[in-house]
Amino acid sequence: MSGPADRDVQVADDPGFDPSTAHTALLARAAAWADDDVEPGDQAEIRDLLADAGTSDPALQPVRAAALTELADRFARPLEFGTAGLRGAMAAGPNRMNRAVVIRAAAGLGAFLHGVVGARDDGAAPPLVVVGYDARHHSRTFALDTAAVLTAAGVAVRLLPAAAPTPVLAYWVRAADADAGVMVTASHNPPADNGYKVYLGGRVVTGAGRGAQLVPPDDARIAAAIAAVGPAREVPRARDGWTVLGIEAVHRYTEAVLALADDAARNLRIVTTSMHGVGGATLARVLRSAGFRDVVVVAEQAEPDPDFPTVAFPNPEESGAIDLALGYAVDARADLVIANDPDADRCAVAVLDRRVGTHHGAETARSAGWRMLHGDEVGALLGEHLAARGGGRLANSIVSSRLLARIAAAHGLDHSETLTGFKWISRVDGLTFGYEEALGYCVDPGRVRDKDGLSAALLVVQLADRLAAEGRDLVDALDDLARAHGLHLTDQLSARFEDLALIPETMRRLRDQPVTTLAGSPVVETVDLSTGADGLPPTDGLRMLAADGSRVIVRPSGTEPKVKCYLEVIVPVAPDADYAALSEARHTARHRLDALRSDLTRALGL
């Protein structure tokens, strides 16, 4: 996303690098950006850095060096479209999330939409865009800027009435037959971040991808349109003219979710947490309307709070993130824990599992046996539940478990494997259910063409309630799947990097020095996904398969500064295996997973 002032910054390893010239150009670019910014606070932020960078006081040279480094990073490149849009830290400059970047992004999106819609129908009605936002810092401001820019550009805009879950926005893109949707959210990223997620539908994208997150080549086309936009100060912004939807917009979504409700008896006690996000009130309404009245809310995390004070990272996958909810579960003698991430498009599930209880030393929820189900476990449970209804196609990402394919085959259904990300999963033609292991589940693709942590929560709770009425639980259902298809156990190893340059270097090292054994089993196949595999487009990643069926996929994250390793082992289980045999199989699988983790830890140099 570049503009008139966005020229490349020279770097020290350039043969023509001249520090004085580079610094002069950098300072000039930063000053021009500050002059063209629309937010006084961001202008002051850049000018303060410029003042520090311009000091000649010998005692302040460390301050000068730090300011130059910070400016070089903020102006190194424009913030680029990645996973369905923009995402980054909130601060001033083109390589950050701020009003100037959002205003130019909205202008580029408007130009793109006019180009597509107008090209297809000269007499077409103006493009229609639905805009939503979460409760992060500046989210509402970014949403209002988007509405103002698009309205001034002749785009019809409908703005959600308040901070709302991402699935509500995704629902309205399809329900309103909108040409595009914009959701201002950074999902489960740290508090300093925000993002700008774009959906396309209506007259722009039809077929299975209608209402899904944007994919190539549309992302590149929008980026090119943004690059043609001038300084943010020169972008027209309307004072009014957009439509603010009423609260019934959220209720319409809730009613759509409730179409999935069954009429079984409700006897489950559930602990819920919205992780300081925007999903709490909507989930409470869904569960209450579906008949679940025995619900205990984690009070400390119930209200939206953009600082996420009780968690290090507002992501249920992160270690310790759901510990507070697990403590509530022990105190309340609950049957189930449901945790949504801050924008409620993901759903985490925790259960009491007798096999993992230790009861040694200080008693905790985990020592009592409470654990969070892996995303692949929830995906398998939901896949089996929905496959039993018949029809359609099941799908999962390439980094998710191979179990869903076996479930589909057992029910005579088709199965697809896609690249990582719901922008790909949701595009599968004839989709009945899709998921990715990162706690994302699409259980109602006709209404929401994206992952939806609220509708998934309802189906999981109903499944657990039905099992409880039979004297069973979700762990018993997982045992049934192991008897039918073998025990598939998965885990993940993530390496977080402060220096982003180390991510491609790590991937390069793995390609140059390939892993030869996995948990003692020889690697029989290594596939470089960057050249394309199994009919899928190229993506940065490596897939390794061992002789014993163990599989590892390594790839850079699309949303966080991480390299992720996805581990899977399969242990055969007899169809009539009893509890003891299954416990032994789980012990064997866990031992092999731990060995895989050790192998990859060494390979990554951690």
Side-chain angles (χ1 to χ4, degrees), residues 198-277:
V198 178
Y199 297 78
L200 296 177
R203 293 162 289 179
V204 178
V205 173
T206 58
R210 185 175 68 87
Q213 300 172 37
L214 87 164
V215 296
D218 288 329
D219 56 352
R221 292 170 180 163
I222 294 173
I226 295 169
V229 175
R233 184 172 293 279
E234 298 176 5
V235 175
R237 283 175 284 154
R239 292 181 177 272
D240 52 35
W242 55 89
T243 299
V244 180
L245 299 173
I247 192 62
E248 63 272 9
V250 179
H251 294 167
R252 277 273 304 275
Y253 162 79
T254 303
E255 291 164 4
V257 174
L258 288 169
L260 302 173
D262 59 31
D263 57 359
R266 308 303 193 198
N267 298 304
L268 219 58
R269 177 169 294 172
I270 310 157
V271 169
T272 67
T273 176
S274 55
M275 206 74 69
H276 298 295

Side-chain angles (χ1 to χ4, degrees), residues 22-32 46 49-50 53-54 64 67-68 71:
H23 290 167
T24 300
L26 171 61
L27 298 182
R29 292 180 64 228
I46 294 296
L49 285 169
L50 286 170
R64 178 177 184 270
L68 284 169
L71 286 169

